[in-house]
Amino acid sequence: MQMNGKAKDPARMAAVALQAYTRIVAFWGLSEKEAASLADMAESEWTRAKARDFAGELTRNQLLRLSAAVGIYEALELYFFRAAREKLVHAAEYGSLVWWAPSGRDSH
C-alpha cells in the first residue's frame, strides 16, 4: 500500500491502527460485538486482531474504518475537549452509541 507516495509496511500499519483503535474501544466502553462491527470484522477476527502479537494484515476497508474512528476521537478531543468527549456513552436502551448533546438531550 502506498500513502503519501511512499510504500508502507502493511503489517506495521495494521499494528499501529489496531493499537490506537483498541485504546479508543476501551475508552468508549464498546462491547466486543460493537468494536468488531465498527471495524468490519467478525468477533473472532477482532479477538485475534486486538492481541499485541497479531501479525496479520487488514483490508483497505478495515484500515479506513480504524482511521475514521481515530479521526472521530481526535475531533472530539479538539472540538469538545475531554469532558465533552467522555459524554459519548453507550446507551443500552438504544442498543447503539449515542452522543449526548450539550442541552442534555440525546441526538440520533
XYZ file of all heavy atoms in Angstrom:
850
model
N 0.845 -1.166 0.000
C 0.000 0.000 0.000
C 0.890 1.229 0.000
O 1.926 1.253 0.636
C -0.897 -0.013 1.234
C -1.772 1.205 1.346
S -2.895 1.163 2.749
C -4.061 -0.040 2.178
N 0.472 2.260 -0.703
C 1.225 3.493 -0.734
C 0.424 4.606 -0.088
O -0.773 4.733 -0.298
C 1.557 3.904 -2.163
C 2.698 3.139 -2.750
C 3.181 3.805 -3.997
O 2.398 4.133 -4.866
N 4.480 4.010 -4.081
N 1.106 5.390 0.708
C 0.498 6.553 1.332
C 1.514 7.675 1.212
O 2.693 7.493 1.501
C 0.162 6.274 2.789
C -0.847 5.149 2.946
S -1.254 4.843 4.648
C -2.422 6.158 4.907
N 1.068 8.825 0.760
C 1.948 9.980 0.595
C 3.125 9.665 -0.317
O 4.223 10.144 -0.096
C 2.452 10.497 1.944
C 1.336 10.939 2.844
O 0.280 11.346 2.360
N 1.544 10.871 4.131
N 2.888 8.812 -1.320
C 3.917 8.491 -2.289
C 4.963 7.502 -1.821
O 5.876 7.189 -2.544
N 4.852 7.012 -0.581
C 5.832 6.067 -0.047
C 5.152 4.747 0.266
O 4.051 4.716 0.791
C 6.460 6.613 1.229
C 7.224 7.900 1.038
C 7.756 8.389 2.361
C 8.458 9.722 2.189
N 8.911 10.248 3.481
N 5.824 3.660 -0.075
C 5.298 2.335 0.256
C 5.386 2.129 1.760
O 6.382 2.470 2.383
C 6.078 1.257 -0.486
N 4.340 1.581 2.345
C 4.304 1.329 3.782
C 4.190 -0.163 4.029
O 3.616 -0.897 3.239
C 3.115 2.038 4.432
C 3.107 3.541 4.271
C 4.193 4.175 5.088
C 4.126 5.683 4.951
N 5.137 6.368 5.692
N 4.716 -0.597 5.150
C 4.633 -1.988 5.556
C 3.215 -2.257 6.068
O 2.823 -1.701 7.101
C 5.670 -2.262 6.635
C 5.577 -3.661 7.203
O 5.065 -4.564 6.513
O 6.039 -3.852 8.347
N 2.431 -3.104 5.378
C 1.043 -3.352 5.782
C 0.904 -3.898 7.205
O -0.015 -3.518 7.925
C 0.534 -4.372 4.762
C 1.434 -4.232 3.596
C 2.765 -3.804 4.152
N 1.822 -4.757 7.624
C 1.745 -5.320 8.974
C 1.980 -4.230 10.017
O 1.319 -4.201 11.057
C 2.752 -6.449 9.138
N 2.911 -3.340 9.747
C 3.195 -2.228 10.677
C 2.005 -1.273 10.743
O 1.626 -0.812 11.820
C 4.456 -1.490 10.230
C 4.796 -0.290 11.075
C 5.358 -0.698 12.424
N 5.704 0.509 13.161
C 5.378 0.727 14.416
N 4.739 -0.186 15.108
N 5.709 1.844 15.011
N 1.420 -0.965 9.593
C 0.244 -0.091 9.565
C -0.895 -0.707 10.365
O -1.565 -0.023 11.138
C -0.194 0.164 8.120
C 0.719 1.093 7.386
S 0.340 1.335 5.638
C -1.404 1.315 5.560
N -1.106 -1.999 10.192
C -2.169 -2.688 10.925
C -1.907 -2.640 12.421
O -2.823 -2.367 13.212
C -2.288 -4.137 10.440
N -0.670 -2.876 12.827
C -0.334 -2.883 14.249
C -0.592 -1.524 14.892
O -1.176 -1.436 15.977
C 1.126 -3.297 14.439
N -0.186 -0.464 14.228
C -0.375 0.889 14.762
C -1.861 1.233 14.823
O -2.351 1.749 15.832
C 0.404 1.921 13.923
C 0.041 3.346 14.320
C 1.904 1.685 14.060
N -2.578 0.947 13.746
C -4.011 1.243 13.702
C -4.771 0.461 14.769
O -5.646 1.006 15.458
C -4.569 0.934 12.315
N -4.445 -0.799 14.924
C -5.128 -1.631 15.915
C -4.814 -1.202 17.341
O -5.690 -1.239 18.211
C -4.781 -3.107 15.702
C -5.457 -3.740 14.498
C -4.785 -5.068 14.160
C -6.945 -3.922 14.742
N -3.599 -0.787 17.589
C -3.236 -0.321 18.924
C -4.057 0.922 19.290
O -4.618 1.009 20.381
C -1.746 -0.013 19.000
C -1.295 0.425 20.382
C 0.193 0.704 20.441
O 0.848 0.938 19.425
N 0.739 0.686 21.634
N -4.143 1.867 18.374
C -4.922 3.080 18.634
C -6.404 2.744 18.785
O -7.071 3.220 19.708
C -4.715 4.081 17.495
N -6.923 1.928 17.887
C -8.340 1.576 17.915
C -8.695 0.812 19.194
O -9.739 1.065 19.795
C -8.693 0.752 16.670
C -10.146 0.381 16.590
C -11.113 1.345 16.371
C -10.554 -0.938 16.728
C -12.459 1.003 16.296
C -11.891 -1.296 16.657
C -12.841 -0.312 16.433
O -14.168 -0.652 16.365
N -7.830 -0.075 19.629
C -8.078 -0.839 20.854
C -8.203 0.093 22.056
O -9.069 -0.092 22.914
C -6.960 -1.873 21.080
O -6.930 -2.763 19.958
C -7.184 -2.678 22.343
N -7.370 1.108 22.115
C -7.451 2.084 23.208
C -8.747 2.885 23.138
O -9.368 3.168 24.168
C -6.245 3.014 23.171
C -4.970 2.322 23.572
C -3.802 3.250 23.490
N -2.593 2.560 23.918
C -1.384 3.058 23.794
N -1.215 4.255 23.280
N -0.339 2.370 24.199
N -9.150 3.259 21.948
C -10.394 4.017 21.778
C -11.589 3.162 22.171
O -12.505 3.625 22.856
C -10.516 4.524 20.322
C -9.461 5.605 20.065
C -11.919 5.053 20.041
C -9.296 5.969 18.609
N -11.590 1.911 21.742
C -12.668 0.979 22.093
C -12.808 0.875 23.605
O -13.915 0.929 24.146
C -12.410 -0.408 21.458
C -13.254 -1.490 22.098
C -12.657 -0.350 19.955
N -11.682 0.754 24.295
C -11.709 0.657 25.758
C -12.224 1.960 26.369
O -13.052 1.942 27.282
C -10.321 0.320 26.289
N -11.752 3.084 25.863
C -12.161 4.379 26.399
C -13.658 4.610 26.202
O -14.341 5.101 27.095
C -11.362 5.504 25.737
C -11.637 6.841 26.354
C -10.965 7.219 27.508
C -12.560 7.701 25.811
C -11.225 8.451 28.098
C -12.826 8.928 26.397
C -12.152 9.305 27.544
N -14.166 4.256 25.029
C -15.585 4.445 24.739
C -16.456 3.367 25.376
O -17.666 3.463 25.364
C -15.824 4.480 23.236
C -15.419 5.777 22.583
C -15.136 6.958 23.191
C -15.271 6.002 21.187
N -14.820 7.903 22.255
C -14.893 7.359 21.019
C -15.421 5.204 20.061
C -14.669 7.921 19.761
C -15.192 5.768 18.816
C -14.822 7.109 18.677
N -15.849 2.314 25.886
C -16.616 1.258 26.537
C -17.451 0.423 25.574
O -18.533 -0.041 25.927
N -16.924 0.215 24.377
C -17.651 -0.579 23.390
C -17.596 -2.059 23.752
O -16.613 -2.538 24.292
C -17.047 -0.389 21.993
C -17.035 1.023 21.417
C -16.430 1.006 20.023
C -18.431 1.617 21.389
N -18.651 -2.769 23.412
C -18.659 -4.216 23.590
C -17.788 -4.841 22.494
O -17.436 -4.189 21.507
C -20.081 -4.755 23.497
O -20.564 -4.642 22.163
N -17.471 -6.106 22.668
C -16.695 -6.818 21.648
C -17.439 -6.810 20.312
O -16.841 -6.606 19.261
C -16.429 -8.260 22.087
C -15.526 -8.372 23.297
C -14.102 -7.942 23.002
O -13.486 -8.504 22.085
O -13.615 -7.039 23.708
N -18.741 -7.008 20.375
C -19.557 -7.035 19.159
C -19.550 -5.669 18.475
O -19.405 -5.579 17.253
C -20.985 -7.445 19.512
C -21.885 -7.587 18.320
C -23.260 -8.099 18.721
C -24.118 -8.294 17.486
N -25.419 -8.864 17.813
N -19.693 -4.593 19.247
C -19.681 -3.241 18.675
C -18.325 -2.906 18.071
O -18.246 -2.351 16.973
C -20.045 -2.213 19.746
C -21.485 -2.270 20.174
C -21.762 -1.447 21.412
O -20.860 -1.304 22.273
O -22.896 -0.952 21.523
N -17.259 -3.245 18.791
C -15.913 -2.965 18.300
C -15.637 -3.715 17.004
O -15.089 -3.150 16.054
C -14.876 -3.336 19.350
N -16.032 -4.970 16.949
C -15.823 -5.781 15.745
C -16.638 -5.227 14.580
O -16.125 -5.090 13.463
C -16.209 -7.232 16.020
N -17.884 -4.895 14.844
C -18.762 -4.380 13.795
C -18.231 -3.061 13.235
O -18.197 -2.861 12.018
C -20.175 -4.193 14.346
O -21.025 -3.672 13.363
N -17.821 -2.163 14.116
C -17.296 -0.871 13.688
C -16.038 -1.041 12.838
O -15.812 -0.288 11.902
C -17.007 0.000 14.909
C -16.651 1.453 14.666
C -17.773 2.176 13.929
C -16.364 2.146 15.980
N -15.253 -2.068 13.134
C -14.018 -2.334 12.388
C -14.244 -3.232 11.179
O -13.295 -3.574 10.476
C -12.983 -2.968 13.304
N -15.473 -3.627 10.926
C -15.812 -4.520 9.813
C -15.105 -5.867 9.940
O -14.503 -6.370 9.007
C -15.503 -3.872 8.469
C -16.108 -4.638 7.291
O -17.179 -5.243 7.469
O -15.503 -4.627 6.197
N -15.205 -6.432 11.165
C -14.597 -7.733 11.438
C -15.610 -8.631 12.120
O -16.513 -8.147 12.796
C -13.410 -7.586 12.398
C -12.268 -6.793 11.892
S -10.970 -6.726 13.156
C -9.845 -5.586 12.396
N -15.416 -9.925 11.966
C -16.159 -10.883 12.778
C -15.606 -10.773 14.198
O -14.455 -10.372 14.390
C -15.959 -12.297 12.244
N -16.413 -11.123 15.199
C -15.946 -11.035 16.580
C -14.678 -11.861 16.804
O -13.767 -11.432 17.512
C -17.041 -11.457 17.555
C -18.116 -10.405 17.731
C -19.140 -10.793 18.767
O -18.780 -10.876 19.962
O -20.294 -11.012 18.373
N -14.615 -13.038 16.189
C -13.430 -13.885 16.351
C -12.195 -13.225 15.735
O -11.089 -13.320 16.276
C -13.666 -15.262 15.735
O -13.958 -15.135 14.354
N -12.381 -12.538 14.608
C -11.263 -11.837 13.972
C -10.812 -10.666 14.849
O -9.613 -10.423 15.006
C -11.674 -11.334 12.584
C -10.561 -10.655 11.829
C -10.987 -10.129 10.469
O -12.180 -10.192 10.126
O -10.099 -9.631 9.763
N -11.767 -9.945 15.428
C -11.432 -8.829 16.312
C -10.654 -9.324 17.534
O -9.673 -8.713 17.948
C -12.692 -8.082 16.732
C -12.486 -7.139 17.875
C -13.098 -7.176 19.089
C -11.584 -6.022 17.928
N -12.638 -6.159 19.883
C -11.701 -5.433 19.202
C -10.679 -5.475 17.035
C -10.968 -4.330 19.600
C -9.937 -4.365 17.428
C -10.090 -3.806 18.689
N -11.066 -10.467 18.092
C -10.371 -11.031 19.246
C -8.912 -11.319 18.904
O -8.011 -11.024 19.689
C -11.075 -12.317 19.725
O -12.411 -11.984 20.103
C -10.368 -12.941 20.900
N -8.665 -11.869 17.715
C -7.283 -12.128 17.289
C -6.546 -10.827 16.984
O -5.376 -10.666 17.338
C -7.266 -13.028 16.049
C -7.631 -14.470 16.311
C -7.379 -15.346 15.095
N -7.943 -14.836 13.863
C -9.184 -15.042 13.432
N -10.012 -15.762 14.159
N -9.609 -14.551 12.290
N -7.224 -9.905 16.319
C -6.574 -8.675 15.860
C -6.151 -7.760 16.999
O -5.147 -7.054 16.879
C -7.511 -7.921 14.911
N -6.873 -7.757 18.096
C -6.529 -6.842 19.188
C -5.369 -7.349 20.047
O -4.830 -6.596 20.850
C -7.744 -6.527 20.048
C -8.249 -7.677 20.868
C -9.468 -7.254 21.671
C -9.954 -8.424 22.498
N -11.035 -8.028 23.381
N -4.949 -8.582 19.829
C -3.797 -9.114 20.559
C -2.528 -8.401 20.090
O -2.358 -8.119 18.908
C -3.676 -10.611 20.325
N -1.641 -8.091 21.017
C -0.424 -7.340 20.682
C 0.476 -8.081 19.696
O 1.247 -7.470 18.977
C 0.346 -6.995 21.944
C -0.403 -5.978 22.798
C 0.451 -5.326 23.839
N 1.581 -4.550 23.357
C 1.526 -3.279 22.962
N 0.376 -2.655 22.944
N 2.616 -2.646 22.600
N 0.377 -9.411 19.645
C 1.233 -10.181 18.739
C 0.560 -10.484 17.399
O 1.063 -11.295 16.624
C 1.701 -11.476 19.410
C 0.541 -12.404 19.757
O -0.628 -11.967 19.716
O 0.817 -13.570 20.090
N -0.542 -9.800 17.089
C -1.241 -10.010 15.821
C -0.304 -9.660 14.670
O 0.274 -8.579 14.629
C -2.497 -9.139 15.760
C -3.261 -9.241 14.470
C -3.973 -10.381 14.169
C -3.282 -8.187 13.569
C -4.695 -10.470 12.989
C -3.989 -8.271 12.392
C -4.705 -9.420 12.096
N -0.138 -10.599 13.744
C 0.788 -10.389 12.628
C 0.069 -10.357 11.284
O 0.711 -10.348 10.249
C 1.844 -11.487 12.624
N -1.231 -10.319 11.306
C -1.998 -10.322 10.067
C -2.084 -8.942 9.437
O -1.555 -7.965 9.951
N -2.751 -8.914 8.309
C -2.976 -7.655 7.610
C -4.460 -7.331 7.658
O -5.295 -8.214 7.823
C -2.506 -7.760 6.158
C -1.005 -7.887 6.021
C -0.545 -7.906 4.574
O -1.340 -7.535 3.685
O 0.595 -8.311 4.342
N -4.758 -6.066 7.510
C -6.143 -5.615 7.468
C -6.503 -5.253 6.038
O -5.648 -4.863 5.247
C -6.322 -4.387 8.364
C -5.990 -4.577 9.842
C -6.131 -3.252 10.584
C -6.878 -5.633 10.469
N -7.783 -5.361 5.731
C -8.239 -4.940 4.409
C -8.210 -3.418 4.341
O -8.133 -2.729 5.365
C -9.675 -5.423 4.128
O -10.569 -4.740 5.030
C -9.809 -6.931 4.282
N -8.280 -2.913 3.157
C -8.316 -1.456 2.963
C -9.515 -0.857 3.711
O -9.399 0.169 4.372
C -8.380 -1.132 1.476
C -8.384 0.337 1.171
C -8.309 0.567 -0.342
N -8.374 1.950 -0.671
C -7.344 2.773 -0.702
N -6.139 2.325 -0.395
N -7.484 4.044 -1.021
N -10.670 -1.525 3.622
C -11.866 -1.040 4.302
C -11.669 -1.025 5.814
O -12.075 -0.081 6.493
C -13.077 -1.897 3.927
C -14.357 -1.346 4.489
O -14.668 -0.165 4.348
N -15.130 -2.207 5.144
N -11.052 -2.056 6.359
C -10.809 -2.100 7.801
C -9.867 -0.972 8.236
O -10.104 -0.315 9.248
C -10.253 -3.461 8.206
C -11.278 -4.567 8.121
C -10.683 -5.952 8.221
O -9.525 -6.174 7.884
N -11.479 -6.898 8.685
N -8.814 -0.738 7.466
C -7.902 0.361 7.781
C -8.613 1.704 7.726
O -8.387 2.573 8.575
C -6.701 0.363 6.832
C -5.610 -0.643 7.131
C -4.582 -0.677 5.995
C -4.929 -0.327 8.452
N -9.476 1.875 6.733
C -10.229 3.127 6.628
C -11.157 3.311 7.821
O -11.301 4.413 8.356
C -11.019 3.174 5.324
C -10.187 3.361 4.063
C -11.059 3.198 2.815
C -9.516 4.727 4.058
N -11.795 2.240 8.263
C -12.701 2.319 9.412
C -11.936 2.650 10.695
O -12.392 3.463 11.500
C -13.462 1.012 9.579
C -14.567 0.845 8.556
C -15.130 -0.561 8.614
N -16.284 -0.708 7.765
C -17.533 -0.802 8.216
N -17.791 -0.779 9.500
N -18.532 -0.924 7.378
N -10.788 2.015 10.890
C -9.987 2.307 12.073
C -9.493 3.752 12.028
O -9.516 4.454 13.043
C -8.806 1.345 12.191
C -9.139 -0.143 12.322
C -7.876 -0.945 12.555
C -10.157 -0.404 13.410
N -9.095 4.185 10.860
C -8.648 5.563 10.692
C -9.788 6.544 10.992
O -9.576 7.578 11.639
C -8.137 5.772 9.265
O -7.763 7.115 9.063
N -10.979 6.216 10.549
C -12.139 7.077 10.819
C -12.418 7.159 12.314
O -12.699 8.239 12.843
C -13.363 6.557 10.071
N -12.334 6.037 13.011
C -12.564 6.037 14.463
C -11.531 6.908 15.167
O -11.868 7.688 16.064
C -12.533 4.611 15.006
N -10.272 6.796 14.751
C -9.220 7.621 15.341
C -9.500 9.094 15.036
O -9.348 9.960 15.908
C -7.825 7.199 14.831
C -6.753 8.198 15.249
C -7.486 5.802 15.323
N -9.929 9.387 13.823
C -10.249 10.769 13.442
C -11.403 11.341 14.252
O -11.367 12.500 14.674
N -12.431 10.537 14.465
C -13.571 10.983 15.270
C -13.119 11.251 16.705
O -13.470 12.272 17.301
C -14.707 9.948 15.221
C -15.333 9.940 13.826
C -15.763 10.230 16.297
C -16.245 8.758 13.568
N -12.345 10.340 17.245
C -11.817 10.506 18.600
C -11.024 11.813 18.695
O -11.212 12.607 19.619
C -10.950 9.303 18.947
C -10.326 9.357 20.311
C -11.008 8.867 21.426
C -9.058 9.886 20.494
C -10.431 8.904 22.690
C -8.479 9.926 21.751
C -9.172 9.437 22.843
O -8.600 9.488 24.087
N -10.145 12.029 17.746
C -9.313 13.231 17.743
C -10.165 14.489 17.574
O -9.928 15.501 18.243
C -8.266 13.155 16.628
C -7.308 14.334 16.596
C -6.403 14.424 17.809
O -6.189 13.413 18.496
O -5.906 15.531 18.083
N -11.164 14.439 16.708
C -12.038 15.594 16.510
C -12.796 15.933 17.790
O -12.932 17.113 18.149
C -13.023 15.330 15.372
N -13.273 14.917 18.485
C -13.952 15.165 19.755
C -13.006 15.817 20.754
O -13.401 16.708 21.507
C -14.528 13.863 20.320
C -15.698 13.275 19.549
C -16.033 11.883 20.077
C -16.912 14.172 19.619
N -11.773 15.371 20.759
C -10.763 15.952 21.645
C -10.525 17.421 21.289
O -10.487 18.286 22.162
C -9.458 15.166 21.539
C -8.307 15.732 22.310
C -8.408 15.521 23.814
O -9.138 14.610 24.248
O -7.766 16.279 24.549
N -10.359 17.699 20.016
C -10.054 19.055 19.580
C -11.216 20.022 19.769
O -11.029 21.154 20.198
C -9.629 19.055 18.105
C -8.291 18.410 17.798
C -8.092 18.294 16.292
C -7.163 19.207 18.423
N -12.413 19.581 19.411
C -13.550 20.491 19.408
C -14.305 20.558 20.729
O -14.885 21.580 21.054
C -14.516 20.127 18.286
C -13.933 20.378 16.926
C -13.666 19.335 16.062
C -13.611 21.658 16.509
C -13.102 19.556 14.816
C -13.045 21.898 15.275
C -12.803 20.842 14.423
O -12.250 21.066 13.212
N -14.331 19.472 21.446
C -15.166 19.442 22.641
C -14.386 19.186 23.918
O -14.965 19.130 24.987
C -16.249 18.373 22.492
C -17.138 18.629 21.318
C -17.069 17.815 20.199
C -18.039 19.670 21.319
C -17.879 18.038 19.112
C -18.856 19.911 20.237
C -18.777 19.098 19.125
N -13.088 18.991 23.809
C -12.225 18.729 24.947
C -12.629 17.446 25.666
O -13.626 16.830 25.361
C -12.180 19.923 25.902
C -11.773 21.187 25.218
C -12.716 22.140 24.888
C -10.453 21.403 24.863
C -12.348 23.306 24.236
C -10.080 22.563 24.213
C -11.031 23.518 23.898
N -11.863 17.080 26.609
C -12.028 15.788 27.273
C -13.389 15.619 27.933
O -14.022 14.585 27.814
C -10.915 15.582 28.292
C -10.963 14.250 28.945
C -9.826 14.095 29.947
N -9.894 12.789 30.542
C -9.169 11.759 30.171
N -8.314 11.883 29.203
N -9.298 10.603 30.766
N -13.875 16.600 28.644
C -15.134 16.452 29.382
C -16.291 16.109 28.446
O -17.094 15.227 28.733
C -15.444 17.716 30.158
N -16.370 16.795 27.327
C -17.456 16.526 26.396
C -17.245 15.204 25.668
O -18.200 14.482 25.401
C -17.584 17.663 25.390
N -15.986 14.885 25.354
C -15.702 13.627 24.663
C -16.162 12.441 25.498
O -16.642 11.445 24.984
C -14.209 13.524 24.370
C -13.833 12.284 23.567
C -12.343 12.121 23.447
N -11.799 11.754 24.726
C -10.626 12.170 25.189
N -9.876 12.965 24.491
N -10.202 11.781 26.374
N -16.019 12.564 26.799
C -16.413 11.480 27.681
C -17.924 11.286 27.728
O -18.404 10.283 28.237
C -15.858 11.715 29.084
C -14.358 11.545 29.122
C -13.757 11.894 30.463
O -14.477 12.410 31.339
O -12.557 11.642 30.622
N -18.662 12.215 27.176
C -20.112 12.083 27.161
C -20.593 11.182 26.022
O -21.774 10.953 25.872
C -20.780 13.449 27.072
C -20.596 14.244 28.340
C -21.320 15.557 28.274
C -21.087 16.319 29.563
N -21.802 17.582 29.567
N -19.661 10.700 25.210
C -20.009 9.702 24.218
C -20.218 8.422 24.997
O -19.288 7.845 25.516
C -18.900 9.528 23.177
C -19.185 8.536 22.070
C -20.321 9.055 21.189
C -17.956 8.293 21.245
N -21.440 8.022 25.129
C -21.751 6.899 26.011
C -22.489 5.811 25.265
O -23.099 6.046 24.234
C -22.601 7.357 27.216
C -21.850 8.345 28.067
C -23.925 7.930 26.754
N -22.415 4.654 25.847
C -23.182 3.539 25.332
C -24.544 3.590 25.999
O -24.653 3.552 27.209
C -22.487 2.211 25.653
C -23.262 1.046 25.176
N -24.163 0.399 25.968
C -23.302 0.429 23.975
C -24.719 -0.572 25.293
N -24.199 -0.574 24.083
N -25.582 3.724 25.209
C -26.927 3.795 25.766
C -27.616 2.456 25.521
O -28.033 2.145 24.415
C -27.702 4.936 25.116
N -27.686 1.663 26.549
C -28.236 0.315 26.421
C -29.667 0.333 25.916
O -30.086 -0.537 25.157
C -28.147 -0.401 27.760
N -30.435 1.333 26.316
C -31.834 1.357 25.884
C -31.981 1.563 24.381
O -32.992 1.217 23.793
C -32.642 2.422 26.649
C -32.236 3.846 26.387
C -31.143 4.351 27.332
O -30.416 3.535 27.915
O -31.030 5.569 27.464
N -30.948 2.146 23.742
C -30.984 2.325 22.295
C -30.213 1.228 21.572
O -30.352 1.078 20.373
C -30.404 3.683 21.902
C -31.200 4.837 22.440
C -30.650 5.697 23.380
C -32.500 5.074 22.021
C -31.375 6.759 23.878
C -33.231 6.130 22.524
C -32.662 6.972 23.451
O -33.385 8.015 23.947
N -29.352 0.531 22.297
C -28.555 -0.526 21.688
C -27.521 -0.005 20.724
O -27.074 -0.706 19.833
N -27.138 1.257 20.873
C -26.141 1.831 19.980
C -25.432 2.971 20.685
O -25.793 3.363 21.788
C -26.807 2.345 18.704
O -27.723 3.377 19.018
N -24.436 3.513 20.021
C -23.743 4.668 20.576
C -24.616 5.898 20.408
O -25.268 6.084 19.389
C -22.422 4.889 19.847
C -21.389 3.804 20.033
C -20.174 4.112 19.170
C -20.981 3.698 21.485
N -24.610 6.735 21.402
C -25.412 7.957 21.374
C -24.529 9.104 21.840
O -23.796 8.979 22.812
C -26.631 7.833 22.329
C -27.407 9.132 22.375
C -27.523 6.691 21.903
N -24.588 10.217 21.153
C -23.886 11.419 21.586
C -24.869 12.263 22.377
O -25.923 12.648 21.902
C -23.361 12.209 20.392
C -22.811 13.526 20.814
C -23.393 14.738 20.689
C -21.560 13.758 21.471
N -22.594 15.704 21.224
C -21.472 15.138 21.712
C -20.524 12.938 21.888
C -20.378 15.714 22.341
C -19.445 13.516 22.513
C -19.379 14.888 22.721
N -24.520 12.547 23.609
C -25.376 13.393 24.434
C -25.039 14.831 24.130
O -23.947 15.299 24.359
C -25.178 13.071 25.916
C -25.669 11.712 26.227
C -24.920 10.580 26.346
C -27.022 11.297 26.390
N -25.716 9.503 26.592
C -27.014 9.915 26.623
C -28.245 11.961 26.364
C -28.173 9.190 26.833
C -29.397 11.232 26.579
C -29.355 9.867 26.805
N -26.007 15.535 23.566
C -25.822 16.921 23.160
C -25.652 17.815 24.392
O -26.107 17.476 25.477
C -27.026 17.375 22.329
N -25.041 18.988 24.230
C -24.837 19.886 25.363
C -26.118 20.256 26.101
O -26.098 20.539 27.274
C -24.209 21.126 24.728
C -23.547 20.615 23.496
C -24.413 19.476 23.021
N -27.240 20.236 25.421
C -28.505 20.572 26.071
C -28.947 19.469 27.015
O -29.897 19.644 27.771
C -29.593 20.788 25.008
O -29.862 19.563 24.351
N -28.248 18.325 26.965
C -28.623 17.196 27.810
C -29.568 16.243 27.119
O -29.865 15.183 27.604
N -30.026 16.626 25.943
C -30.909 15.747 25.167
C -30.055 14.952 24.200
O -29.060 15.448 23.701
C -31.937 16.574 24.411
C -32.875 17.304 25.347
C -33.863 18.158 24.612
N -34.333 17.477 23.418
C -35.072 18.037 22.497
N -35.436 19.293 22.639
N -35.462 17.384 21.437
N -30.470 13.728 23.957
C -29.687 12.900 23.037
C -30.098 13.210 21.611
O -31.202 13.598 21.332
C -29.869 11.405 23.343
C -31.307 10.964 23.263
O -32.099 11.437 24.093
O -31.618 10.166 22.387
N -29.141 13.066 20.717
C -29.424 13.251 19.305
C -29.142 11.950 18.578
O -28.160 11.289 18.843
C -28.564 14.375 18.734
O -27.209 14.116 18.958
N -30.026 11.576 17.701
C -29.890 10.309 16.965
C -29.628 10.616 15.510
O -30.166 11.443 14.915
C -31.139 9.462 17.084
C -31.498 9.156 18.513
N -30.748 8.312 19.288
C -32.480 9.625 19.308
C -31.298 8.243 20.488
N -32.342 9.027 20.520
